[in-house]
Amino acid sequence: MRKPDVINADQMGDVLGLLVHDFRNPAATITANADFLQEVGLVDTDSVEALQDVKLAVGELRRGLDMLAWISHWFTGRVPLEAANGDAGVFLERLERADTPVPVTVEIAAGDQLYAQGAQVAVEVVELLLHNTRAHVADPHATVRLYQQSGRVVIEVQDAGEAIAPELRQLAFTLEGQNALKGRVDGRYSRFAGLFAAAVVLDGVGGTIEADGERGAAVFRVFLPQARPTRPPSP
């Protein structure tokens, strides 16, 4: 069969959405059976470890399906992920107490106006970037900084890994750029086209992302538009 000269974005998005739906069913079945076996109990250590590996792998598969769903929504012109406005500091300060992919230190600028459009999406994007840290840094740890700049709320994720090469920084968050990142130490490719997925989900709330830094101090910088805090109704 000859490949099409032009691929319709809506059709591509619809097909991706179908694939996400189809893959979620067997993933849920595997998870349910793994949970059952864990509750029943296994007799030897090797079996317990193998079951844990299965659960981790399925968790990673589900994470990838979430990102594929964002991309499928983007192709069809829908908002990839509905996210409420809010104080980004409130969302991100919880990371130090949460089970994150790598240990994280959160630094929040005091006195800054950090109420952002689509602030909830910040947690999803930061977690995605922490998975990137885990994949590319030998002794993974990240620092998340949150501050206000020129009418935008800025979230920086910095680690001790290799920064994305300057010539790749414009491509890194595009669909066509993912192959260019793969296989390069200074490409920082994220599994499941994660950097593209980050750009897509941020675009849905009016945000953007960029790469910066140098060797040993890689930086991802997320920008969200500031929003007006909603006032509670008068009594």
Side-chain angles (χ1 to χ4, degrees):
M1 180 184 294
R2 187 176 67 86
K3 70 178 183 179
D5 295 325
V6 178
I7 298 176
N8 180 278
D10 285 338
Q11 290 175 339
M12 175 62 76
D14 288 341
V15 170
L16 290 178
L18 285 173
L19 290 175
V20 169
H21 180 270
D22 290 346
F23 278 121
R24 284 195 195 279
N25 288 331
T29 301
I30 295 170
T31 299
N33 281 280
D35 288 341
F36 170 75
L37 290 173
Q38 193 168 44
E39 289 176 10
V40 170
L42 298 173
V43 295
D44 63 278
T45 302
D46 288 342
S47 296
V48 171
E49 290 179 354
L51 182 59
Q52 188 60 31
D53 286 344
V54 169
K55 294 188 71 172
L56 289 173
V58 175
E60 187 73 352
L61 174 61
R62 285 176 171 237
R63 187 174 74 87
L65 288 173
D66 286 342
M67 287 187 273
L68 191 58
W70 299 346
I71 294 170
S72 75
H73 290 167
W74 176 79
F75 268 119
T76 54
R78 290 176 286 169
V79 175
L81 181 65
E82 297 288 349
N85 297 350
D87 187 330
V90 172
F91 291 113
L92 292 178
E93 68 181 358
R94 299 171 186 163
L95 289 173
E96 290 186 311
R97 304 187 299 273
D99 183 18
T100 51
V102 300
V104 61
T105 301
V106 179
E107 300 176 359
I108 300 175
D112 277 8
Q113 171 53 261
L114 302 175
Y115 202 88
Q117 186 170 304
Q120 275 186 318
V121 87
V123 177
E124 298 287 347
V125 173
V126 168
E127 183 166 340
L128 189 157
L129 295 174
L130 296 179
H131 276 282
N132 185 283
T133 294
R134 186 174 70 177
H136 292 280
V137 182
D139 184 17
H141 175 278
T143 299
V144 178
R145 298 185 180 90
L146 180 63
Y147 57 91
Q148 170 193 352
Q149 183 183 77
S150 303
R152 296 184 294 179
V153 174
V154 185
I155 304 158
E156 283 188 359
V157 179
Q158 180 175 334
D159 61 40
E162 185 86 34
I164 292 181
E167 69 272 17
L168 294 176
R169 290 177 186 177
Q170 292 298 316
L171 283 172
F173 306 102
T174 65
L175 179 61
E176 63 272 20
Q178 299 312 296
N179 279 331
L181 304 182
K182 187 78 172 175
R184 287 185 56 160
V185 174
D186 58 359
R188 295 290 298 245
Y189 175 78
S190 278
R191 186 179 286 181
F192 312 115
L195 295 184
F196 174 58
V200 160
V201 78
L202 284 168
D203 182 66
V205 295
T208 57
I209 184 170
E210 69 178 21
D212 201 353
E214 58 192 22
R215 189 174 203 176
V219 174
F220 291 102
R221 196 171 289 118
V222 171
F223 300 92
L224 291 173
Q226 280 186 304
R228 288 177 178 268
T230 53
R231 295 180 180 178
S234 301

